[in-house]
Amino acid sequence: MGALKAVMAVVGVAALLMGGLWMLQGLDIIRWPASSFMLGDTTWTRNGAILAAVGAALVWFSRNRRA
């Protein structure tokens, strides 16, 4: 079960980072890549927040799961 916890943690951290990037692109704070369709679109702010919350939950479960 240790491998499952490690995979959950890695996927959770990746989701947190990607969700944060999506949120910042949606808020037009990070303008990378310059031609991205996500820039300034609040839909991506919402999607990023949801993805980041899922990532945080995965990290939390991976650290608190008994096994």
Side-chain angles (χ1 to χ4, degrees):
M1 277 301 194
L4 177 62
K5 289 173 76 169
V7 169
M8 283 176 59
V10 169
V11 171
V13 169
L16 268 168
L17 293 173
M18 186 174 290
L21 176 63
W22 288 1
M23 284 191 301
L24 293 173
Q25 284 180 325
L27 291 171
D28 214 14
I29 294 172
I30 292 181
R31 300 195 49 78
W32 175 82
S35 62
S36 176
F37 59 91
M38 298 167 66
L39 299 176
D41 186 350
T42 56
T43 300
W44 289 102
T45 304
R46 182 194 67 228
N47 292 347
I50 292 168
L51 183 60
V54 169
L58 282 172
V59 170
W60 186 81
F61 281 122
S62 73
R63 296 189 48 82
N64 292 317
R65 184 180 156 139
R66 298 185 200 280

